Amino acid sequence: MTGTTPGFSQLRLDGVSRRFGSQDALAGLDLTIRTGEFIALLGPSGCGKSTALNCLAGLLPLTAGSIWQDERRVDTLPPERRGFGMVFQNYALFPHMSVRANVAFGLRMRRLPRDEIRRRTAEAIRLVRLEEHAGKLPGQLSGGQQQRVAIARAVVLEPSLVLMDEPLSNLDAKLRLEMRTEIRRLHQSLGLTTVYVTHDQEEALSLADRLVVLRAGRVQQIGSPQTLHTRPANWHVADFMGYRNLWPMRAVSPQGALVAVEADGFRLVGDPMGDVAPGDAVMAGVRPEDVRVGEPGEAATNTMPAEIEVVEYQGRELAAEARTATGIRVHLRTDRRVAPGDAVALSIDPERLLVFPSDSDEAPSAPLADPAGARLAEPGLVG
Amino acid sequence: MSVTTSPHATVATGPPRTPRAHWRHRLAERGVDGQLWLLAPAVLFVVLLFLYPFFYGLGLSFQPTKGGPFSDYARFFGDAYQRGTIWTTLGLALPAALLNVLASVPIAYRMRGRFRGKRLVTILLVVPITLGTVLTAQGLLNFLGPTGWFNRVLMALHLTDEPVRLVHNYWGVFFSLIITGFPFAFLLVLSYLSGIDPTLERAAATLGAGWWQRFRTVTLPLLMPGLATTFCLTFVLAFSVFPSAVLVGNPAGETRVISIAAYQAAYEQYDYPYASAIAMVMGAIELVIISVVLLARTRLYTGSSGGKG
């Protein structure tokens, strides 16, 4: 496909905000998107990621801020004049039009010559491999095929920006993986700048060049998949990026570049993420796959005796839940054949145990949703 | 087969046969179950209040007081004065139904989303349903009559020298049909419109369609089947116009609708077979119009429109 839409070198979101009544759905999103980039907006439901996408598309007016395409301000344009393609969560295919007519719709709206419409439509349908279904109505297609039509309909215009709103969330697990590869393949072959909204961290990590993690309408972290995976900016991001073990603890003393933390007379050494002073309340986080299972009686740094409580079979590995002698629950993954009731020693590499400052000074609405934060206030953990 | 105490083995030794489902299961498979009794009142009503009178009237229409079985039909169609009532009624009912539907579309389109005061506006638009035809006629006479406010305003502004005649003629009946028919049309169109997924229009917008293109290429085609149904219902309502044709129309002349002809045959000439024949003609015309509209409707896309409605 040859580009017809004027490209841009960067798209700049400048303090983009949206309020619903007295609630901030999105508060001051600053983001610069370079052309050709694949950006994922990631966060739990209600974090403002769909709001951000709708603001970009022009389907939702901004409460504050502006959006710039190079030196051209676009947030004041209606959606039909922005020239951004969008793929909706429920596909939003026109049910009364054939696949071909759906894909041709945008080209027809641009009043392009008939021959060009026919050629580009056929090309887009071939790109998503739906040639033999071109004459069907959307209702006659499966979910995955409908999704491919929706993608073809958006990319046929060669938009300067493609917006995708949880496009895979209505598909079953197997199809989701296939479509993920498909989307990646399309992005690599067409090089279209893409903003992709999802609540699935795995999807975001596998697709995006850069991730934007949102929580309660605010940006928590912007970074590459590697950065987010290994160095989450705060424990909320860690929680979202698969650090299933998050323990409220208290910092004791620095140990070189590391820091010792403890709770209930139980002491660990971890890598501080941010400023952690002795006496601070902290959250210590580790991924289940970074918890090692050893024989009982092992004694090394960060080793704790525990008993396996629940075991889930997951193919090559087992996902298990163990409880330490001091009552802390640990999620872990192991290829050892453990069984409930087994006594084990769990150890964690200090480099893999991330120690985050607790955010006790947060807005009062935020910690309500998180019982881990609330546990900090319990007197047993203090001192 | 040796002797065994297991009951399963005993079954297995018997001749193979497919187990027949219990008769209750077989009935349930065809939708016959206890809940069917819920339909009883409706069936009773339809039989007593529709089927019996209809077939009674149909039979009666073939037993004229004199002549062969079809002579009352021949009499109706042979008499230009009587035959003309068909065109008079169509001339009122078709434009009124069409206007009701067409006027409902933009209003319902504007009102399909959520906005402040929507309930109040809906109530105002629907209130005329609660007014009877007689009350509406009374209001029309007061408002549009020769000494009504409308004409007084026109004359005070010197827009006209003598009152514009808007009642006791075609227009009186037409306005009355609009006032009583619009709320029905509006409510139906509104519910059809809210059944169309609003994301479709947003998708069209991101594909470069302006509001008129969005309406014409996405919303209207999905709404058309609903509009056809709405048209049929308001047409039937308007075609059987009777009280307003008498009260605000000119029942001896330009608004002598077909129901007036039937009424006169039945209650002025006491010729029930003839009145029944006219009623049958009336029903047949309605059926023809509805068939044409519904036939055209089958050519439209009538599948899912993605909405929740």
Side-chain angles (χ1 to χ4, degrees):
Chain A
M1 288 195 194
T2 49
T4 49
T5 340
F8 61 94
S9 63
Q10 65 173 32
L11 188 87
R12 202 170 81 245
L13 280 74
D14 200 357
V16 171
S17 307
R18 172 68 205 189
R19 295 175 77 84
F20 290 110
S22 62
Q23 195 161 13
D24 274 320
L26 187 66
L29 172 62
D30 293 314
L31 178 68
T32 304
I33 303 167
R34 288 181 296 274
T35 185
E37 224 180 351
F38 197 121
I39 300 265
L41 298 182
L42 181 64
S45 56
C47 72
K49 56 193 193 297
S50 288
T51 305
L53 202 72
N54 283 322
C55 285
L56 260 173
L59 297 170
L60 206 54
L62 310 188
T63 319
S66 53
I67 303 171
W68 300 82
Q69 198 171 323
D70 291 330
E71 294 315 308
R72 177 165 158 257
R73 186 169 179 175
V74 294
D75 63 277
T76 46
L77 297 175
E80 61 267 26
R81 292 190 45 214
R82 292 195 190 187
F84 299 163
M86 183 147 173
V87 178
F88 293 82
Q89 187 172 8
N90 66 355
Y91 322 138
L93 298 178
F94 307 126
H96 58 300
M97 295 184 199
S98 68
V99 168
R100 196 178 287 116
N102 262 285
V103 175
F105 186 86
L107 300 169
R108 256 174 50 221
M109 292 301 124
R110 298 203 177 170
R111 302 185 193 291
L112 294 178
R114 198 170 290 250
D115 288 346
E116 191 185 344
I117 293 181
R118 197 173 306 129
R119 184 179 55 76
R120 285 174 64 176
T121 304
E123 207 174 331
I125 291 175
R126 190 164 54 245
L127 194 69
V128 295
R129 296 184 280 212
L130 284 175
E131 293 97 324
E132 67 269 48
H133 302 291
K136 289 188 186 169
L137 290 178
Q140 298 167 285
L141 302 179
S142 69
Q145 290 168 336
Q146 292 190 36
Q147 188 54 275
R148 301 222 289 273
V149 178
I151 292 171
R153 186 177 68 174
V155 302
V156 71
L157 296 170
E158 285 144 36
S160 54
L161 180 67
V162 183
L163 307 166
M164 296 196 180
D165 189 3
E166 308 216 21
L168 306 185
S169 60
N170 285 343
L171 302 177
D172 63 53
K174 181 172 173 288
L175 212 49
R176 198 146 56 213
L177 281 179
E178 275 171 31
M179 284 304 298
R180 201 159 91 185
T181 317
E182 189 99 344
I183 288 175
R184 189 69 210 168
R185 184 176 65 84
L186 276 174
H187 179 254
Q188 278 167 0
S189 60
L190 302 178
L192 295 171
T193 316
T194 307
V195 176
Y196 186 101
V197 158
T198 181
H199 63 263
D200 182 341
Q201 46 112 356
E202 215 181 293
E203 206 171 287
L205 287 173
S206 64
L207 284 171
D209 301 320
R210 259 194 320 153
L211 279 73
V212 178
V213 182
L214 290 165
R215 182 174 160 270
R218 279 161 218 281
V219 173
Q220 304 291 305
Q221 190 172 9
I222 301 180
S224 69
Q226 292 81 356
T227 311
L228 267 92
H229 195 261
T230 54
R231 319 284 296 172
N234 59 43
W235 71 266
H236 296 292
V237 178
D239 188 16
F240 202 71
M241 297 308 297
Y243 287 75
R244 278 190 75 195
N245 297 303
L246 279 171
W247 305 306
M249 299 180 94
R250 188 156 293 277
V252 185
S253 59
Q255 297 200 345
L258 303 177
V259 64
V261 290
E262 75 168 11
D264 286 340
F266 155 86
R267 187 181 271 248
L268 293 171
V269 177
D271 192 356
M273 302 277 109
D275 292 333
V276 177
D280 281 359
V282 295
M283 289 295 261
V286 67
R287 293 172 175 281
E289 54 268 36
D290 289 333
V291 178
R292 264 201 331 274
V293 180
E295 292 303 326
E298 259 181 48
T301 351
N302 284 358
T303 300
M304 44 199 168
E307 188 188 307
I308 302 287
E309 287 196 330
V310 185
V311 175
E312 287 171 40
Y313 176 72
Q314 295 195 342
R316 267 177 36 203
E317 279 186 325
L318 294 176
E321 198 181 294
R323 192 180 284 274
T324 64
T326 47
I328 292 180
R329 193 173 298 162
V330 185
H331 297 280
L332 57 98
R333 295 178 72 89
T334 177
D335 48 10
R336 284 170 65 120
R337 301 287 110 175
V338 291
D342 286 2
V344 290
L346 304 177
S347 59
I348 302 162
D349 184 346
E351 305 281 329
R352 297 295 172 88
L353 182 75
L354 307 184
V355 177
F356 301 99
S358 283
D359 38 11
S360 49
D361 54 345
E362 273 221 293
S365 68
L368 283 180
D370 107 69
R375 250 185 283 143
L376 275 179
E378 279 170 28
L381 282 173
V382 180
Chain B
M1 285 277 150
S2 59
V3 178
T4 171
T5 49
S6 159
H8 301 287
T10 330
V11 173
T13 50
R17 62 190 170 106
T18 43
R20 239 176 118 68
H22 193 265
W23 60 273
R24 275 185 184 278
H25 292 300
R26 275 178 284 140
L27 283 179
E29 192 68 24
R30 286 170 178 75
V32 182
D33 56 19
Q35 282 188 20
L36 220 55
W37 284 109
L38 292 174
L39 290 180
V43 171
L44 196 71
F45 259 72
V46 167
V47 169
L48 286 182
L49 297 178
F50 176 69
L51 288 181
Y52 172 70
F54 175 78
F55 284 106
Y56 183 82
L58 187 67
L60 204 60
S61 72
F62 293 121
Q63 300 159 34
T65 42
K66 53 179 187 288
F70 296 102
S71 58
D72 268 347
Y73 289 96
R75 194 171 138 207
F76 178 80
F77 286 106
D79 183 346
Y81 183 58
Q82 294 287 65
R83 196 173 59 222
T85 59
I86 295 177
W87 304 116
T88 307
T89 320
L90 284 178
L92 272 168
L94 285 177
L98 202 63
L99 185 68
N100 279 335
V101 173
L102 291 184
S104 304
V105 175
I107 300 174
Y109 188 66
R110 178 64 192 84
M111 287 188 54
R112 73 200 188 289
R114 253 184 293 172
F115 62 88
R116 201 179 296 230
K118 175 172 177 169
R119 188 174 300 197
L120 183 73
V121 177
T122 313
I123 289 174
L124 285 178
L125 288 171
V126 171
V127 145
I129 284 186
T130 63
L131 310 173
T133 329
V134 177
L135 197 61
T136 309
Q138 180 70 35
L140 277 173
L141 289 176
N142 281 337
F143 181 65
L144 295 177
T147 56
W149 302 338
F150 183 73
N151 272 313
R152 273 194 262 168
V153 169
L154 283 189
M155 286 195 285
L157 295 172
H158 297 288
L159 290 169
T160 172
D161 293 331
E162 50 186 86
V164 183
R165 278 207 43 172
L166 290 170
V167 288
H168 297 303
N169 62 3
Y170 177 87
W171 292 110
V173 185
F174 187 76
F175 290 136
S176 161
L177 288 178
I178 298 292
I179 290 170
T180 49
F182 174 79
F184 280 106
F186 168 73
L187 283 181
L188 281 168
V189 171
L190 188 62
S191 78
Y192 281 117
L193 258 177
S194 27
I196 298 175
D197 182 0
T199 336
L200 295 179
E201 273 206 42
R202 308 170 83 200
T206 61
L207 292 166
W211 75 268
W212 170 245
Q213 286 171 313
R214 296 201 285 274
F215 177 74
R216 195 176 53 78
T217 57
V218 177
T219 309
L220 188 60
L222 293 174
L223 186 60
M224 271 317 277
L227 293 186
T229 311
T230 309
F231 176 83
C232 286
L233 289 174
T234 42
F235 168 74
V236 168
L237 275 180
F239 194 78
S240 53
V241 58
F242 180 69
S244 60
V246 175
L247 296 170
V248 282
N250 175 8
E254 55 184 321
T255 71
R256 186 169 182 273
V257 291
I258 191 162
S259 52
I260 293 181
Y263 172 83
Q264 286 172 340
Y267 300 107
E268 286 175 16
Q269 298 154 20
Y270 297 103
D271 188 345
Y272 292 123
Y274 187 39
S276 297
I278 298 175
M280 290 300 143
V281 169
M282 192 171 161
I285 293 167
E286 286 179 335
L287 271 181
V288 167
I289 301 277
I290 290 172
S291 310
V292 168
V293 174
L294 292 187
L295 206 68
R297 185 182 181 273
T298 59
R299 302 178 59 88
L300 303 168
Y301 171 82
T302 51
S304 147
S305 43
K308 300 156 285 295

